[in-house]
């Protein structure tokens, strides 16, 4: 006669349920800020402007701040650099039965990488601003372009250099860095600030 064995499957059932629940991480120009106007008197939203830059148009070169930034940083997901986040992923899924927590952490990381993309002009891959665009920005901020500043007085040259390239500063670790300066796609900062992420459950 077989011996009956009783066991509690509550925790296993919770784990299986969490693994069956399908969550989606959305990162981009979404929500209220995405729908908001990119500027006073403009009919274009931040999402519209983001689309132009992300995919490019006949007049605007492609400067992908979403797809290319994430591909550039996440291509090494299986390497030692991402060991900690992989460990966190398995911990949340198997210990806490909450994969959505991992997606929230991954979403925050994605925003960090996108911000880095803005700060480095697409990790050095974006096409530089056209001379005409630089002239418009210079006129708006009452400074010279660097081309014109080369033949200007020292005061005007230093002002332009600080505006376009920033100042050298000493970082807390003693290294030398750069503060300020101009980056592509950050003239108003509205596009940059409109990017967010959201974890949603499939219906």
């Amino acid at each position: 006669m077989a011996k009956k064995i009783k066991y509690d499957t509550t925790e296993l059932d919770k784990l299986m349920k969490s693994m069956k629940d399908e969550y989606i991480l959305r990162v981009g120009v979404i929500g209220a800020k995405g729908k908001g106007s990119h500027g006073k008197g403009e009919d274009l939203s931040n999402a519209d402007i983001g689309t132009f830059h992300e995919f490019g148009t006949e007049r605007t070169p492609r400067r992908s701040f979403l797809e290319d930034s994430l591909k550039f940083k996440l291509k090494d997901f299986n390497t030692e650099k991402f060991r900690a986040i992989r460990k966190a992923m398995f911990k949340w899924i198997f210990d806490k039965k909450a994969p959505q927590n991992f997606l929230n952490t991954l979403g925050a990381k994605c925003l960090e990488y996108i911000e880095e993309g803005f700060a480095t002009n697409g990790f050095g891959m974006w096409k530089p601003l056209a001379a005409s665009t630089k002239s418009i920005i210079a006129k708006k901020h009452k400074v010279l372009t660097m081309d014109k500043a080369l033949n200007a007085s020292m005061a005007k040259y230093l002002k332009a250099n600080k505006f376009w390239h920033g100042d050298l500063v000493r970082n807390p670790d003693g290294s030398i860095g750069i503060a300020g300066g101009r980056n592509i796609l950050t003239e108003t900062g509205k596009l940059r600030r409109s990017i967010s992420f959201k974890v949603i459950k499939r219906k």
Side-chain angles (χ1 to χ4, degrees):
M1 181 177 177
K3 184 177 180 179
K4 291 184 179 180
I5 300 175
K6 293 183 179 181
Y7 55 91
D8 185 359
T9 64
T10 302
E11 293 303 311
L12 178 61
D13 291 340
K14 287 181 180 179
L15 172 61
M16 295 305 295
K17 182 178 184 303
S18 71
M19 296 300 289
K20 289 180 181 179
D21 290 339
E22 296 184 1
Y23 292 88
I24 303 172
L25 171 63
R26 288 183 177 173
V27 182
V29 188
I30 56 180
K33 288 185 177 180
K35 296 177 181 178
S37 175
H38 187 66
K40 293 182 179 179
E42 288 188 17
D43 293 330
L44 297 175
S45 67
N46 288 314
D48 292 329
I49 297 296
T51 300
F52 296 157
H53 290 302
E54 182 69 21
F55 299 101
T57 68
E58 292 182 359
R59 298 178 57 186
T60 306
R62 181 178 183 275
R63 296 186 179 105
S64 173
F65 54 91
L66 292 174
E67 181 182 4
D68 287 359
S69 292
L70 296 180
K71 282 183 176 179
F72 184 84
K73 294 297 291 187
L74 294 176
K75 60 183 173 60
D76 297 324
F77 185 78
N78 291 320
T79 64
E80 186 65 21
K81 289 191 298 184
F82 285 86
R83 182 180 181 183
I85 198 169
R86 291 199 307 273
K87 182 178 180 180
M89 174 181 71
F90 288 109
K91 179 179 179 181
W92 273 318
I93 290 178
F94 293 106
D95 292 349
K96 298 184 179 179
K97 296 88 177 176
Q100 62 270 38
N101 284 353
F102 167 70
L103 291 179
N104 277 312
T105 297
L106 182 59
K109 272 292 180 186
C110 287
L111 294 188
E112 179 183 317
Y113 298 149
I114 292 168
E115 177 70 15
E116 189 176 347
F118 274 108
T120 59
N121 294 327
F123 302 96
M125 296 184 287
W126 289 348
K127 184 176 180 179
L129 293 174
S132 58
T133 302
K134 289 182 180 179
S135 294
I136 293 172
I137 294 174
K139 183 178 180 180
K140 176 181 177 181
H141 294 278
K142 298 180 180 180
V143 296
L144 297 176
T145 63
M146 287 308 299
D147 288 341
K148 293 182 178 179
L150 292 174
N151 298 314
S153 66
M154 181 58 70
K156 289 183 177 180
Y157 173 83
L158 292 176
K159 180 180 179 181
N161 190 67
K162 180 178 180 179
F163 175 81
W164 294 104
H165 301 305
D167 285 324
L168 292 177
V169 295
R170 186 172 295 279
N171 296 318
D173 63 1
S175 62
I176 300 298
I178 298 176
R182 311 300 297 178
N183 295 105
I184 301 172
L185 303 189
T186 58
E187 173 60 14
T188 65
K190 288 188 176 181
L191 175 61
R192 200 172 185 173
R193 293 192 296 270
S194 69
I195 299 170
S196 60
F197 75 89
K198 185 177 183 180
V199 177
I200 61 175
K201 189 174 181 180
R202 290 184 186 274
K203 295 181 179 179

